[in-house]
């Protein structure tokens, strides 16, 4: 499928740029992982690392060097994203920061390009897993260059569903109620600590669904293209005015049922 605004040639340029940015930033975090305890700011349930800031700057520089007139917004940017930009790049320099900070390998760098508010290119690079997920509108979802696809799981009772706890308390009780409802219905719920990787796990068929409330667009934008192009379904179920979202991604088969579990929890 080609696109009137972004012919496939240009989409490939955006995709290459997203991959180079994610690989450059992720590799920096990996090479400098001995500095994972360098904290700029800590709150009760979160940390801001010096490497978060460095990795965002690295990803931004890669993008700026090729697309000087595009808008860029990242987890570390502050202020507001330019929603009207023809192309808006969204970066999460280290998704799964707390995992990274503790030395757990489940973290990644996530880079997406949006057009008209919709993600059209997504790359998720997980250096310690040596996995790089890529996809663009109209193309195939790949992991390390090989096509991936969502699982065939059709019944929610056979599903692994990943989630997370909304630490910024849009409604913490909603997250815990959802976890309880989920545990009753699925084979196993999982909390693994990186939204972008959770979504890629759905895309590659390792998990069957993912839902989390209170994450941000930068956690899910790249993953949403990847899971959609892997044959799955994704949607934003709630949107705040500061890019905070509630996000659902599935293999498609369990989508409506899992959405029902979410809605029955609210
Ligand atoms: C984190 C996620 C994690 C989620 C947290 C947070 P960060 O991103 O990916 O899975 O539960 O709410 O958003 O802060 O490490 O980039």
């Amino acid at each position: 499928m080609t696109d009137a605004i972004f012919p496939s040639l240009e989409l490939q340029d955006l995709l290459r740029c997203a991959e180079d940015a994610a690989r450059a930033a992720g590799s920096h975090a990996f090479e400098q992982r001995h500095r994972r305890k360098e904290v700029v700011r800590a709150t009760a349930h979160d940390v801001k690392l010096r490497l978060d800031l460095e990795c965002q700057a690295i990803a931004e520089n890669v993008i700026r060097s090729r697309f000087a007139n595009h808008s860029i917004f990242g987890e570390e940017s502050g202020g507001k994203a330019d929603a009207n930009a023809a192309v808006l790049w969204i970066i999460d320099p280290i998704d799964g920061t707390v995992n990274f900070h503790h030395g757990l390998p489940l973290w990644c760098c996530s880079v997406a390009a949006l057009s008209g508010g919709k993600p059209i290119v997504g790359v998720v690079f997980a250096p310690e897993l040596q996995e790089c997920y890529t996809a663009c509108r109209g193309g195939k979802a790949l992991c390390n260059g090989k096509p991936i696809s969502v699982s065939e799981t059709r019944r929610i009772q056979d599903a692994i569903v990943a989630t997370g706890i909304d630490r910024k308390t849009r409604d913490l009780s909603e997250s815990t109620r959802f976890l309880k409802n989920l545990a009753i219905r699925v084979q196993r719920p999982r909390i693994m600590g990186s939204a972008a990787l959770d979504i890629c796990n759905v895309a590659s068929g390792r998990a069957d669904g993912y839902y989390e409330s209170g994450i941000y667009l930068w956690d899910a934008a790249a993953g949403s293209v990847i899971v959609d192009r892997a044959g799955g379904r994704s949607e934003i179920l709630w949107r705040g005015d500061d890019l905070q979202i509630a996000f659902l991604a599935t293999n498609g088969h369990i989508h409506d049922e899992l959405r029902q579990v979410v809605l029955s929890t609210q």
Side-chain angles (χ1 to χ4, degrees), residues 46 75 92 94-98 164-165 167 193-196 198 210 212 214-216 218-219:
D46 210 359
E75 178 171 15
D92 189 345
I94 303 178
D95 180 61
T97 309
V98 175
I165 298 289
R167 69 193 190 287
S194 162
D198 287 342
Y210 163 76
E212 190 166 349
I215 59 167
Y216 289 84
W218 52 75
D219 297 310

Side-chain angles (χ1 to χ4, degrees), residues 164 166-167 195 199 210 212-220 238 243-247:
D166 179 357
R167 69 193 190 287
I199 300 164
Y210 163 76
E212 190 166 349
S213 149
I215 59 167
Y216 289 84
L217 190 58
W218 52 75
D219 297 310
W238 170 88
L243 300 190
Q244 206 178 14
I245 54 174
F247 184 82

Side-chain angles (χ1 to χ4, degrees), residues 73-94:
F73 191 82
E75 178 171 15
E76 312 309 327
S77 297
K80 280 210 177 286
D82 179 4
N84 298 319
V87 179
L88 171 64
W89 291 86
I90 297 268
I91 303 167
D92 189 345
I94 303 178

Side-chain angles (χ1 to χ4, degrees), residues 103-126:
L104 281 168
L106 300 178
W107 59 274
C108 59
C109 177
S110 171
V111 177
L114 280 68
S115 165
K118 296 220 162 47
I120 53 172
V121 158
V123 173
V124 172
F125 175 50

Side-chain angles (χ1 to χ4, degrees), residues 224-237:
S224 71
V225 190
I226 295 165
V227 73
D228 290 350
R229 299 313 305 167
R233 259 176 88 184
S234 68
E235 61 179 321
I236 292 175
L237 294 182

